[in-house]
């Protein structure tokens, strides 16, 4: 049994990515959490430390079970990126996510928060080229594995990501009728962190884009 702690330890997988770094930064400024960032390379550890997080080395293509020691919450924000081929996409976005889910269950993690993609529940409805078909199918299979894992989960499915300044405002729905639009990575990071404490998001998947409603208000309405 885990020892009860006042602050929750949140493991961010993919902590060196653009969104992952923003998640670490938010967590490190919140006294409710210890931010633990999993990175692949020794030289990436300093970035996590500067932001106030605790780095841990781990590679999704190898054994990274040690990263789950004393972890309460997992936020999976890793991705192979657009410059890699389909094989790497499957290794990271599908296989890596599935391994993370299984390890979280093995270590008794309270909640698993998945960064997915808008429309990943049914990629066949989307007009995708071949490379994006691989990506969306990987996301879909990882999401299905999480839903069937028995873990308490939240699946966040943002639309087109931008590096703009955060707006603090979104629209959210389990299935958006109008998927035209964008969302900043900073706002996505805020949604991922909000999902830790909002129990109404437990065992839900939802889509988000920037809009006019304050983030927490929009999420509470789901």
């Amino acid at each position: 049994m885990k020892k009860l702690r006042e602050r929750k330890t949140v493991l961010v997988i993919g902590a060196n990515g653009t969104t992952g770094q923003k998640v670490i930064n938010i967590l490190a400024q919140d006294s409710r959490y210890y931010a633990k960032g999993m990175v692949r390379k020794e030289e990436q550890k300093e970035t996590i430390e500067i932001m106030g997080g605790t780095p841990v080395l781990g590679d999704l293509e190898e054994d990274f079970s040690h990263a789950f020691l004393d972890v309460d919450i997992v936020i999976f924000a890793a991705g192979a990126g657009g410059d890699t081929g389909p094989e790497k996409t499957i290794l990271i976005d599908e296989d890596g996510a599935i391994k993370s889910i299984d390890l979280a269950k093995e270590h008794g993690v309270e909640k698993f928060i998945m960064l997915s993609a808008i429309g990943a529940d049914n990629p066949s409805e989307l007009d995708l080229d071949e490379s994006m078909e691989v990506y969306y199918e990987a996301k879909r299979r990882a999401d299905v594995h999480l839903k069937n894992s028995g873990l308490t989960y939240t699946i966040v499915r943002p639309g087109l990501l931008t590096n703009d300044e955060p707006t603090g405002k979104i629209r959210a729905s389990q299935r958006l009728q109008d998927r035209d639009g964008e969302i900043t990575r900073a706002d996505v990071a805020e949604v991922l962190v909000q999902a830790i404490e909002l129990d109404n998001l437990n065992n839900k998947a939802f889509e988000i884009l920037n809009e006019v409603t304050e983030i927490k208000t929009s999420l509470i309405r789901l």
Side-chain angles (χ1 to χ4, degrees):
M1 180 179 293
K2 285 188 178 179
K3 189 197 287 188
L4 293 176
R5 298 185 297 276
E6 289 185 7
R7 297 171 72 181
K8 292 180 180 178
T9 297
V10 184
L11 173 64
V12 181
I13 299 175
N16 194 57
T18 307
T19 304
Q21 287 188 21
K22 294 181 185 304
V23 172
I24 290 288
N25 194 46
I26 295 169
L27 291 170
Q29 296 179 58
D30 192 321
S31 61
R32 294 175 295 176
Y33 309 121
Y34 290 110
K36 189 175 183 181
M38 194 174 99
V39 295
R40 289 178 56 246
K41 301 176 182 177
E42 185 72 32
E43 58 265 31
Q44 295 169 342
K45 292 169 68 175
E46 185 178 6
T47 301
I48 306 302
E49 291 170 340
I50 289 171
M51 290 187 293
T54 301
V56 57
L57 285 176
D59 191 326
L60 289 173
E61 298 179 51
E62 299 176 6
D63 178 15
F64 56 101
S65 56
H66 59 278
F68 288 77
L69 184 65
D70 293 327
V71 166
D72 301 295
I73 308 291
V74 172
I75 296 178
F76 188 91
D83 298 330
T84 59
E87 184 176 324
K88 182 67 75 172
T89 296
I90 292 170
L91 282 171
I92 302 301
D93 293 89
E94 181 178 347
D95 296 345
I98 287 172
K99 284 195 288 185
S100 299
I101 293 162
D102 292 345
L103 285 168
K105 186 171 184 179
E106 184 180 319
H107 286 80
V109 164
E110 294 175 18
K111 189 171 187 179
F112 194 107
I113 301 166
M114 175 75 84
L115 176 57
S116 185
I118 198 166
D121 58 324
N122 194 354
S124 62
E125 292 183 349
L126 306 174
D127 183 17
L128 302 170
D129 62 28
E130 187 175 347
S131 64
M132 291 306 292
E133 282 180 3
V134 173
Y135 170 77
Y136 270 85
E137 275 300 318
K139 287 295 187 188
R140 184 190 67 79
R141 287 190 286 264
D143 290 356
V144 168
H145 189 80
L146 178 55
K147 287 182 175 181
N148 294 334
S149 68
L151 287 167
T152 299
Y153 68 84
T154 300
I155 298 172
V156 180
R157 293 174 172 151
L160 182 64
L161 300 173
T162 75
N163 291 319
D164 295 339
E165 290 298 309
T167 70
K169 299 175 188 288
I170 62 169
R171 56 187 166 104
S173 174
Q174 292 187 48
R175 186 178 177 85
L176 290 170
Q177 294 302 308
D178 179 6
R179 288 171 171 168
D180 288 336
E182 302 173 336
I183 186 162
T184 73
R185 287 180 169 85
D187 288 323
V188 172
E190 180 63 33
V191 170
L192 293 170
V193 174
Q194 291 275 357
I196 295 172
E197 302 293 341
L198 291 177
D199 289 343
N200 70 299
L201 302 182
N202 288 353
N203 303 324
K204 281 185 182 175
F206 57 90
E207 301 176 344
I208 52 172
L209 289 168
N210 278 136
E211 211 8 291
V212 296
T213 306
E214 189 267 337
I215 286 176
K216 190 167 186 178
T217 300
S218 189
L219 295 178
I220 288 172
R221 290 174 178 172
L222 281 167

